[in-house]
């Protein structure tokens, strides 16, 4: 069974109303970095060859992740649609079980995170540049899609004061 990565770029333009966290906004949904296990190992220690060490261990879901991102990436709770096996929906019973088992987080009353997610993390531009540097040492070339992500995040950082991040998780 293969493993895939799911990514989203978020950026913050201002602190939240209570100044304790930042208000993040999704910039790009479902970025496809491809199935590259050396890249996965460098990002979060997922798959890859022996001896490839991640830039940092998975950090988990950011405390201030955007609600829009969570709702876009989660299972919506709807018993009728779940019974019809509509993709992206689960029953309330399934949702409660996943949360109780610790494989999902509640997203308000209407959704839960995907129970098949693992190694959830996020990295900023500097951390992704280090991933790229290490990738280049392994492959004697940059990872093209990662270069595009770094460029987009760099542009956001120039306008938003260094508050962009790539939020990602793995499935499989």
């Amino acid at each position: 069974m293969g493993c895939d990565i799911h990514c989203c770029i978020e950026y913050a333009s201002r602190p939240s109303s209570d100044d304790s966290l930042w208000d993040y906004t999704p910039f790009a949904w479902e970025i496809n970095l491809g199935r590259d296990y050396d890249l996965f190992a460098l990002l979060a220690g997922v798959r890859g060859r022996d001896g490839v060490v991640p830039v940092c261990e998975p950090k988990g879901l950011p405390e201030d992740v955007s609600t829009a991102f969570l709702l876009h990436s989660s299972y919506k709770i709807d018993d009728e649609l779940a019974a019809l096996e509509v993709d992206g929906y689960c029953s309330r019973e399934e949702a409660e079980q996943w949360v109780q088992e610790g494989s999902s987080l509640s997203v308000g009353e209407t959704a839960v995170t995907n129970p098949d997610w693992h190694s959830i993390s996020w990295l900023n531009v500097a951390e992704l540049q280090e991933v790229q540097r290490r990738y280049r040492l392994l492959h004697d070339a940059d990872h093209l899609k990662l270069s595009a992500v770094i460029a987009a995040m760099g542009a956001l950082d120039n306008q938003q004061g260094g508050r962009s991040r790539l939020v990602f998780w793995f499935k499989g």
Side-chain angles (χ1 to χ4, degrees):
M1 178 178 178
C3 180
D4 293 309
I5 189 170
H6 299 266
C7 308
C8 173
I9 295 173
E10 290 189 318
Y11 68 95
S13 56
R14 65 188 189 294
S16 62
S17 57
D18 67 2
D19 286 336
S20 63
L21 301 171
W22 285 78
D23 281 334
Y24 277 89
T25 303
F27 170 73
W29 303 101
E30 286 296 320
I31 296 169
N32 181 356
L33 292 177
R35 187 179 282 176
D36 186 323
Y37 293 151
D38 285 338
L39 179 64
F40 296 178
L42 291 167
L43 289 169
V46 173
R47 305 271 175 123
R49 54 180 113 166
D50 289 337
V52 178
V53 178
V55 166
C56 61
E57 293 300 318
K59 301 174 186 178
L61 199 60
E63 181 181 352
D64 52 0
V65 69
S66 68
T67 303
F69 166 78
L70 280 179
L71 289 173
H72 172 78
S73 306
S74 298
Y75 278 99
K76 281 52 167 191
I77 300 170
D78 185 307
D79 290 331
E80 291 177 22
L81 293 175
L84 295 171
E85 298 182 1
V86 175
D87 192 36
Y89 290 87
C90 67
S91 68
R92 181 153 308 278
E93 181 181 337
E94 287 173 310
E96 290 171 358
Q97 179 182 347
W98 295 337
V99 170
Q100 184 177 13
E101 293 170 348
S103 57
S104 287
L105 301 171
S106 292
V107 181
E109 295 292 319
T110 61
V112 292
T113 58
N114 189 317
D116 296 324
W117 287 4
H118 65 88
S119 306
I120 303 165
S121 194
W122 57 273
L123 297 176
N124 62 31
V125 171
E127 292 164 327
L128 290 172
Q129 288 170 332
E130 178 60 16
V131 168
Q132 185 73 287
R133 186 189 72 76
R134 292 185 192 183
Y135 188 90
R136 190 179 309 117
L137 292 173
L138 290 171
H139 294 274
D140 199 30
D142 285 346
H143 188 281
L144 179 62
K145 292 177 180 180
L146 183 59
S147 293
V149 166
I150 292 168
M153 289 174 59
L156 289 168
D157 282 359
N158 287 338
Q159 296 297 312
Q160 303 299 330
R163 294 281 180 185
S164 70
R165 64 187 175 199
L166 181 71
V167 180
F168 56 92
W169 65 96
F170 299 87
K171 186 175 178 184

